[in-house]
């Protein structure tokens, strides 16, 4: 074990502390402020751990947890792109590619490749684990919006029914049970005027 | 799968959102504010994932991650107890027992028991996984204090060399390599007057 290897690992771990300063749109349950991406990543991992039995397919839960913990690290450079912001999503891929290169590149080569592959796998949604991680990643903010009621970011940004369904329906690819529940949340938000008809 | 089971799981996941409001003593690298326990739990899990190769014993890394993610949830009711606060640590166990009962008790019985066991295992430090999780949990704030320099909580609270060594030496039970590195951090902090001689 070279000292250089440990040094690179620790520099990476200090650098990713900055994920605690990346602000998302969603508000925490206490309501006082918006959620940051580091605490969101922990919450996601807990969603995966508690809800794993609802996955449509058998999943390696360790693998799901690593996807939840790692996939948003690129936001340190690329920022959080609000899911319903069409123009910001236009160059999201390019910004995140550059971020992955710089951030994961701080690690020893084998670990850089490992992190890079996790991030790519998450984005591609082609494995059972990435489909389930995506499902909880889309469901968690929907739950927070549900709790926020009038203060939901859906209402704040005038999100419409077709937009919400487009964003959230991939939950069903990971878990039919969680998608069914999310649909009831969407319907209630529509009834309460937090999601616009169109 | 009963609807009641999913309902209890989701109520638990909403409740633990409050971990984002539990403030620790340590400051984030940006320095603007103190760290909260939810983002700390994510950071810990990343420490475990990146530094696993330095564990003294072979560990099941999934198991380590679950310990990192779950063991601080009791702080929602019990609050964060500063590691160097002797009087607050006096009734820490009792406060955390009550918290574990209420919080994990929100889950279906099998999952409540699972979470409870993870928390107890972490505290007991009797398995390789809990020794390694404890090691990174003690090392992460030391790293943040190292980066913070003059703004370290060691200096803020007048932490002494014997106190720091007592708190941090269990890192060696999980990882000799990480303890060796932490010792160099302690020595530097002492030279710079961030840790008092006694």
């Amino acid at each position: 074990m070279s000292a250089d290897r440990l040094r690179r690992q620790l520099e990476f771990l200090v650098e990713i502390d900055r994920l605690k300063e990346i602000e998302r749109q969603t508000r925490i349950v206490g309501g006082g402020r918006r959620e940051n991406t580091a605490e969101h990543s922990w919450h996601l991992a807990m969603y995966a751990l508690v809800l794993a039995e609802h996955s449509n397919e058998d999943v390696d839960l360790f693998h799901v947890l690593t996807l939840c913990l790692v996939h948003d690290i690129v936001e340190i450079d690329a920022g959080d792109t609000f899911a319903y912001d069409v123009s910001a999503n236009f160059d999201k891929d390019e910004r995140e590619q550059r971020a992955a290169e710089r951030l994961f590149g701080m690690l020893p080569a084998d670990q850089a490749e490992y992190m890079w592959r996790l991030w790519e796998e998450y984005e591609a949604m082609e494995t059972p684990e990435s489909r389930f991680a995506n499902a909880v990643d889309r469901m968690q903010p929907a739950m927070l919006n549900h709790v926020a009621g009038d203060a939901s970011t859906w209402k704040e940004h005038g999100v419409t029914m077709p937009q919400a369904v487009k964003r959230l329906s991939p939950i069903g690819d990971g878990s039919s049970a969680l998608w069914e529940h999310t649909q009831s949340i969407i319907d209630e938000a529509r009834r309460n005027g937090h999601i616009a008809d169109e």
Side-chain angles (χ1 to χ4, degrees), chain A:
Chain A
M1 196 76 62
S2 76
D4 180 62
R5 188 168 167 89
L6 178 57
R7 184 188 55 75
R8 294 184 70 159
Q9 291 167 333
L10 293 177
E11 281 175 3
F12 172 78
L13 289 168
V14 168
E15 180 70 14
I16 65 171
D17 196 83
R18 291 171 54 209
L19 201 60
K20 300 168 189 170
E21 298 181 89
I22 303 300
E23 194 176 75
R24 293 166 51 82
Q25 287 297 318
T26 324
R27 290 186 177 279
I28 63 171
V29 169
R33 60 171 177 83
R34 296 190 197 270
E35 190 185 36
N36 72 59
T37 305
E39 62 197 5
H40 165 73
S41 299
W42 165 77
H43 208 180
L44 263 199
M46 286 303 302
Y47 264 72
L49 190 60
V50 170
L51 300 175
E53 68 197 44
H54 303 287
S55 172
N56 291 343
E57 301 165 272
D58 280 342
V59 287
D60 174 341
L61 193 47
F62 169 68
H63 196 77
V64 174
L65 291 186
T66 58
L67 291 168
C68 291
L69 295 168
V70 167
H71 84 276
D72 270 339
I73 287 176
V74 294
E75 292 187 5
I76 288 170
D77 285 356
D80 176 59
T81 306
F82 185 45
Y84 298 96
D85 182 341
V86 177
S87 63
N89 274 283
F90 195 70
D91 67 341
K92 178 173 179 269
D93 286 357
E94 197 191 312
R95 279 183 287 124
E96 293 195 346
Q97 282 281 347
R98 281 198 306 267
E101 214 164 308
R102 186 187 80 79
L103 289 158
F104 300 145
M106 294 181 72
L107 286 165
D110 59 317
Q111 292 190 309
E113 192 183 328
Y114 172 70
M115 299 284 171
W116 187 286
R117 284 194 179 171
L118 284 176
W119 171 66
E120 284 189 330
E121 179 186 346
Y122 178 87
E123 295 292 319
M125 286 183 69
E126 284 169 359
T127 60
E129 284 79 11
S130 63
R131 279 190 285 271
F132 187 65
N134 259 283
V136 293
D137 193 22
R138 286 161 203 256
M139 188 183 190
Q140 186 260 6
M143 288 288 293
L144 288 182
N145 277 326
H146 175 63
V147 173
D150 279 345
S152 82
T153 50
W154 287 331
K155 193 174 178 190
E156 183 182 353
H157 292 280
V159 169
T160 66
M161 193 69 185
Q163 287 174 323
V165 170
K166 185 179 173 200
R167 169 66 192 163
L168 297 172
S169 59
I171 293 174
D173 298 335
S175 167
S176 302
L178 298 183
W179 172 229
E180 192 182 324
H181 185 83
T182 308
Q183 281 176 297
S184 73
I185 288 176
I186 298 173
D187 288 342
E188 192 181 320
R190 187 186 200 173
R191 280 197 304 278
N192 294 334
H194 302 148
I195 291 181
D197 280 353
E198 55 189 312

